[in-house]
């Protein structure tokens, strides 16, 4: 199965010049990309510029609105992103959920519209620190996953890219350890098997995100059959990001 390395730039960098520099530094080394699908998701305003480039790096967006068009001041629709040339879309990131009030129902709508547009959705979910400490992780994940994929058919489910992102690991430097991640992967596959059957569930990609760097990527690649990673902070440093790509490529 194809491995994904998805860069989530979040609300960074501040200038177009910096965005172009980061992108071109990664592009310069893109001959190392052979089997992986490398995706950069920048802020909306840099999309047009980055999409002008022809390279092995795919471009995605960090969010999108489910209505096609209309009186929704400040929103960018999933349709617009598709027509612009985006190939991927991050949906349900915990920062969207917690800072901008996106609930499971909105996430579900966005996933359905993205799938109908063939705009490959990266569906994020994960527990926070408190839930983790109280032993509620599995319950929270099951709830978020079930609500997120409600009404999504078997056929479409195969195009979903799942991304487990524990909130306590995002931007904290405390990544999930490989043993724990392995347990969580088994649990997620179980939920997907119950809903879609073994054959489909085994074909669905599940990524990990949360303080991924060029060091911890090794244990994830070697210990777990991880489908890839979602990288925040480390993706803004081109050298570190290239290192991650190289290590994923080497451990196929
Ligand atoms: P991080 O962010 O790599 O900076 O922890 C990951 C994410 O939020 O997707």
């Amino acid at each position: 199965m194809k491995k994904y390395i998805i860069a989530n730039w979040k609300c960074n960098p501040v200038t177009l010049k910096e965005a172009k520099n980061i992108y071109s530094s990664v592009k310069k080394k893109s001959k190392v990309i052979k089997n992986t699908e490398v995706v950069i998701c920048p802020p909306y305003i840099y999309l047009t510029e980055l999409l002008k480039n022809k390279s092995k790096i795919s471009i995605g967006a960090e969010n999108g609105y489910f209505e096609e068009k209309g009186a929704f001041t400040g929103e960018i629709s999933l349709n617009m992103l598709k027509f612009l040339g985006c190939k991927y879309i991050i949906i349900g990131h915990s920062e969207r959920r917690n800072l901008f009030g996106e609930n499971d129902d909105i996430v579900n709508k966005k996933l359905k519209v993205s799938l109908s547009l063939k705009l490959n959705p990266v569906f994020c979910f994960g527990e926070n620190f408190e839930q983790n400490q109280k032993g509620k992780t599995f319950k929270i994940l099951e709830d978020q996953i079930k609500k997120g994929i409600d009404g999504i058919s078997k056929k479409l489910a195969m195009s979903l890219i799942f991304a487990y992102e524990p909130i306590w690991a995002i931007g904290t430097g405390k990544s999930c350890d490989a043993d724990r991640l392995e347990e969580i992967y088994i649990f997620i596959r179980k939920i997907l098997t119950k809903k879609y059957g073994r054959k489909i569930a085994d074909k669905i990609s599940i990524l990990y995100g949360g303080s991924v760097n060029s060091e911890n990527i090794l244990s994830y690649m070697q210990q777990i059959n991880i489908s890839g990673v979602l990288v925040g902070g480390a993706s803004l440093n081109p050298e570190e990001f290239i290192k991650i790509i190289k290590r994923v490529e080497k451990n196929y």
Side-chain angles (χ1 to χ4, degrees), residues 8 10 93 95 165 169-171 210-212 230-233:
N8 174 12
K10 310 191 180 189
H93 191 281
E95 285 149 19
E165 292 212 304
I170 296 178
S211 295
V212 170
L230 192 51
V231 190

Side-chain angles (χ1 to χ4, degrees), residues 50-94:
L50 300 196
L51 279 163
K52 279 182 193 161
N53 294 274
K54 284 269 163 290
S55 86
K56 283 183 182 169
I57 306 160
S58 297
I59 299 294
E62 299 173 14
N63 179 36
Y65 194 53
F66 53 82
E67 295 288 356
E68 182 185 4
K69 58 179 181 168
F72 308 106
T73 303
E75 289 296 325
I76 305 284
S77 78
L78 292 162
N79 298 67
M80 291 170 184
L81 295 165
K82 173 72 185 182
F83 287 121
L84 197 66
C86 289
K87 232 174 127 184
Y88 293 87
I89 179 89
I90 298 173
I91 303 278
H93 191 281
S94 59

Side-chain angles (χ1 to χ4, degrees), residues 104 108 138 141 153 178 183-184 201 218 236 240:
D104 293 312
N108 177 253
F138 289 127
L141 298 188
S153 70
E183 278 173 25
I184 287 175
L218 281 176
L236 293 163
E240 178 68 0

